[in-house]
Amino acid sequence: MLIIPDSRAWVEVDLEAVRHNYTMVARRAGPGTVVIPMVKADGYGLGAERVAKALDPLKPWGFGVATADEGAALRAAGLMRPILVCNPLPAQAVALAAEHRLTATVADPGGLDRWEAMAEKLGRTLDFHVKVDTGLGRSGFDCRTADCWSDLCAQATRRGLVRWKGVFTHFHSADAEEPAETFAQWRRFQDALSRIPYQKGELLIHASNSAAAMRWPELAGDAVRPGIYLYGGHPSPALPASILVPPRPVASVRARLLLVREASPGSTVGYGATYVASDRELWGTLGIGFGDGLPRVLGNVGHALVRGKRVPLVGRVSMDLTVVNLSTVPEAEVGDVATLIGADGTECIMVDDVAHQAGTICNEILVGLGPRLPRIELARGAT
Ligand SMILES: *Cc1c(COP(=O)(O)O)cnc(C)c1O
């Protein structure tokens, strides 16, 4: 474990594990399929720039982001590969995306017009992928009207200002045990593709997120777009390893023990005094709270690791502080480093466990880790 002397709490990011998880996805997808690592939302809260730089030597196709700003930040960090903005651009962000040579997602005729107008204005050729809606319903051209929109996109490409480079869709239930919905979406996608006149290799065809990429190489197309798996989050924790090999953990959340004290029977802790000491207990106060992204609902439910032992969080998690019951770790001292997510000795709290206890998914837990927690890299450079 890495000790950061002057922080009350921090996040450790294991870049070697990110590279390992990337390699797992790439292998599973097979040799004919490239990988588009999703580094949106600042690399799922772990740092888009550091993750992209760690993966760049592994030769991904490029990177996937959610917004033009995220793409611009990667360009500013010196990343040269294609960057696909996977969501439709608001009109106000089109110029920024074009200036940084981002690949736009076109999801309606207006989006295509704006991209083409910007190409004309800047006098430079701009690339785009088409998003096809096969059931997620958030964005994209309707998969049933492929004849119409493919004609628009082909015409625009012929005018020479924009280049149509890819087509993609996004699955809504790849993490569900039952695969039928995903296969139905894939069929709708194939049906749309069959009505687009294009030569093999002209367009990059992609659909799979982490769960789909790891479960069904046959749906990989030309590229896969993993996110959460790269960051050590199990996309579908209920599935056994025979169906989906778990990723290697990436993020560890640590916090220091700021105070240790004895609590007499009847002592209460936290807002609402929801926990009462039943006996003489030893309590420790950790310098982390929901203001750092530790879910408030973990109060009286979640755990921390102290000196390699699992101890319960007692009382409500407050904004900056969380109390643990250290009665089983009497040797604990002020200054000890507690683990809220990650391993300590042989014990480990998985991000999936925390997500489950908080009634959400790993993605939300990682993305919710706040800016108050410094991110510390455990490994750097090439493998
Ligand atoms: C976020 C995102 C992904 C990655 O999803 P995970 O479930 O995190 O792997 C893939 N494609 C698109 C369009 C996304 O927005």
Side-chain angles (χ1 to χ4, degrees):
M1 191 191 300
L2 202 82
I3 304 293
I4 315 305
D6 55 358
S7 289
R8 63 190 252 291
W10 61 91
V11 181
E12 293 163 13
V13 183
D14 185 347
L15 293 175
E16 207 44 64
V18 176
R19 281 193 285 261
H20 168 87
N21 294 336
Y22 174 97
T23 305
M24 296 287 286
V25 175
R27 253 191 232 147
R28 181 84 177 128
T33 300
V34 294
V35 183
I36 309 175
M38 297 300 298
V39 297
K40 60 188 177 180
D42 199 24
Y44 287 48
L46 302 181
E49 179 180 338
R50 73 168 58 86
V51 167
K53 284 184 171 168
L55 293 179
D56 202 56
L58 303 182
K59 301 189 167 62
W61 170 84
F63 298 97
V65 296
T67 70
D69 300 85
E70 291 175 347
L74 289 183
R75 287 283 183 251
L79 289 145
M80 307 297 290
R81 295 181 192 280
I83 296 173
L84 175 64
V85 184
C86 291
N87 298 315
L89 290 164
Q92 295 74 10
V94 168
L96 185 71
E99 276 160 30
H100 288 90
R101 291 171 289 104
L102 307 182
T103 301
T105 286
V106 165
D108 70 338
L112 180 60
D113 290 346
R114 287 192 293 275
W115 200 233
E116 199 177 12
M118 188 54 66
E120 181 154 37
K121 185 171 167 200
L122 296 184
R124 92 165 36 151
T125 318
L126 298 175
D127 294 348
F128 68 95
H129 287 199
V130 166
K131 172 76 187 290
V132 184
D133 181 19
T134 55
L136 187 55
R138 303 187 304 193
S139 71
F141 289 104
D142 191 318
C143 55
R144 292 162 298 191
T145 58
D147 314 271
C148 306
W149 51 256
S150 69
D151 209 39
L152 286 180
C153 296
Q155 281 173 24
T157 296
R158 278 197 293 277
R159 286 192 291 272
L161 293 164
V162 292
R163 287 187 302 201
W164 184 11
K165 302 282 270 189
V167 187
F168 72 103
T169 192
H170 195 40
F171 297 131
H172 57 67
S173 299
D175 57 337
E177 195 173 346
E178 171 57 51
E181 289 285 350
T182 305
F183 280 81
Q185 274 189 276
W186 178 254
R187 272 195 305 278
R188 281 177 225 133
F189 186 45
Q190 292 307 311
D191 202 52
L193 292 173
S194 72
R195 284 180 286 131
I196 306 175
Y198 71 99
Q199 305 292 318
K200 178 100 187 120
E202 253 176 12
L203 296 174
L204 194 75
I205 307 298
H206 48 111
S208 292
N209 59 0
S210 296
M214 291 307 290
R215 292 176 75 182
W216 303 296
E218 65 270 31
L219 309 190
D222 301 322
V224 292
R225 302 186 310 269
I228 191 62
Y229 193 88
L230 303 177
Y231 304 99
H234 199 304
S236 194
L239 293 176
S242 54
I243 294 184
L244 203 163
V245 181
R248 189 179 286 177
V250 170
S252 303
V253 177
R254 319 273 189 197
R256 277 189 195 286
L257 210 43
L258 304 179
L259 283 172
V260 177
R261 71 207 174 284
E262 279 198 5
S264 47
S267 302
T268 60
V269 62
Y271 288 110
T274 60
Y275 181 86
V276 184
S278 53
D279 209 334
R280 280 169 66 86
E281 294 182 356
L282 191 66
W283 288 352
T285 303
L286 300 178
I288 192 166
F290 67 76
D292 303 291
L294 186 69
R296 187 168 169 276
V297 295
L298 293 185
N300 293 318
V301 171
H303 292 86
L305 306 177
V306 177
R307 299 210 171 193
K309 288 189 190 143
R310 191 173 289 256
V311 296
L313 309 189
V314 289
R316 288 198 188 135
V317 169
S318 51
M319 195 181 291
D320 317 305
L321 299 170
T322 299
V323 177
V324 289
N325 186 348
L326 294 172
S327 301
T328 56
V329 199
E331 68 276 23
E333 283 175 11
V334 168
D336 280 0
V337 176
T339 299
L340 284 307
I341 294 174
D344 181 5
T346 55
E347 283 279 356
C348 184
I349 297 175
M350 305 289 286
V351 63
D352 326 326
D353 303 335
V354 171
H356 180 72
Q357 287 173 332
T360 183
I361 55 173
C362 307
N363 312 42
E364 190 178 356
I365 298 296
L366 291 181
V367 167
L369 296 174
R372 208 156 62 169
L373 303 176
R375 275 38 170 193
I376 311 297
E377 294 176 18
L378 288 193
R380 200 187 269 278
T383 42

